[in-house]
Amino acid sequence: LDAVPGKANLLVARFADQVCTALPVGGKQWTTLGPIVRAGTSTGTENFGLDPEGRTLLITGGSQGAESINSFVRAMVGHHGQAFRGWQIIHQTGKGGVGDLPAVYERAGIRSWVGEYINDMESAWAMADLTIGRCGAGTVAEAWAANVPAVLLPYPYHKDQHQKHNAMVLVDVGAGIVFDDRIDATVNIQEHGKQLAELLVDPSMLSAMHAGFARLGGADGARAAAGLLDGFRV
């Protein structure tokens, strides 16, 4: 699933008749299928108590959350609060990460839903006009499938930086932007705050990112994999 294969995948690949990957892998003549995203089972109609037609920013650090992203966004509201005018926020914080975020958003006049975990991600993606988060293979695949422009902060402690490599499939077509996560919110604001604020206030930038998805095609890796398996029937 990742653009940088792990040791186990590299080992097993030696014994495989065919190797498939969801994202392009450099230096390997493997079959790239595109993202593998399970079809949703929810109705996709949960609106999180927000305006279903409003511009929505989805913030998520994956199922475990990301404290450095939570802190970065909290600092963004403090330093660039005007940039959020006209936006509403769905923010999945991870366990124990809610803290004062609802109050921060309320003081800034930003409608929000804040929770440790989102059970209905299908609805969250359906509402989202922009996302901020990590770039594990699952997040990249879901952003691709939902055609949601993405500001991506790769997990900073991976030695192989595979999340940054995952993100490049979106960056290369203009649908994603990568910010190096400096962990410290003050440093993240200094390095990335102005660019993120510009994106939030400039609809043309968001439209250009959204248009990049047309160059990617559909997120139909599962269907492609099934087609390949059909050829291996005995």
Side-chain angles (χ1 to χ4, degrees):
L1 294 178
D2 289 301
V4 178
K7 292 180 180 179
N9 283 329
L10 289 172
L11 177 62
V12 173
R14 299 177 189 174
F15 307 98
D17 294 302
Q18 182 160 0
V19 182
C20 302
T21 176
L23 299 170
V25 174
K28 300 291 183 182
Q29 299 300 312
W30 292 351
T31 300
T32 303
L33 302 178
I36 297 172
V37 183
R38 185 186 68 175
T41 56
S42 79
T43 60
T45 57
E46 170 63 46
N47 62 19
F48 302 91
L50 303 175
D51 179 0
E53 302 300 324
R55 279 196 306 169
T56 304
L57 174 62
L58 172 62
I59 302 166
T60 170
S63 60
Q64 300 301 311
E67 179 53 37
S68 61
I69 292 178
N70 296 343
S71 298
F72 175 39
V73 174
R74 184 185 289 106
M76 274 294 301
V77 173
H79 287 80
H80 299 280
Q82 292 300 312
F84 291 88
R85 180 172 294 177
W87 286 91
Q88 57 188 6
I89 292 176
I90 299 172
H91 190 152
Q92 180 258 317
T93 67
K95 187 175 181 180
V98 172
D100 66 343
L101 278 167
V104 168
Y105 292 140
E106 184 176 3
R107 286 195 299 268
I110 304 168
R111 293 185 64 182
S112 69
W113 177 96
V114 182
E116 293 185 349
Y117 190 78
I118 298 174
N119 290 308
D120 187 358
M121 283 302 299
E122 183 183 4
S123 289
W125 283 112
M127 286 189 65
D129 297 285
L130 176 68
T131 187
I132 299 174
R134 294 286 190 229
C135 33
T139 298
V140 171
E142 290 174 355
W144 181 340
N147 285 5
V148 175
V151 175
L152 301 166
L153 291 89
Y155 183 70
Y157 299 109
H158 287 150
K159 290 183 178 180
D160 62 9
Q161 288 293 292
H162 69 262
Q163 286 201 354
K164 181 178 286 188
H165 290 278
N166 290 345
M168 296 313 296
V169 70
L170 301 182
V171 173
D172 288 345
V173 298
I177 298 171
V178 168
F179 290 161
D180 289 331
D181 187 353
R182 302 304 186 186
I183 304 170
D184 185 287
T186 300
V187 180
N188 276 331
I189 285 290
Q190 290 172 347
E191 294 195 7
H192 312 308
K194 182 178 179 182
Q195 186 177 357
L196 178 55
E198 289 174 350
L199 176 60
L200 291 170
V201 301
D202 188 346
S204 66
M205 291 178 64
L206 199 61
S207 294
M209 292 180 70
H210 189 272
F213 285 103
R215 297 168 56 190
L216 286 177
D220 58 353
R223 184 182 299 275
L228 289 171
L229 288 169
D230 186 64
F232 281 91
R233 288 180 179 174
V234 178

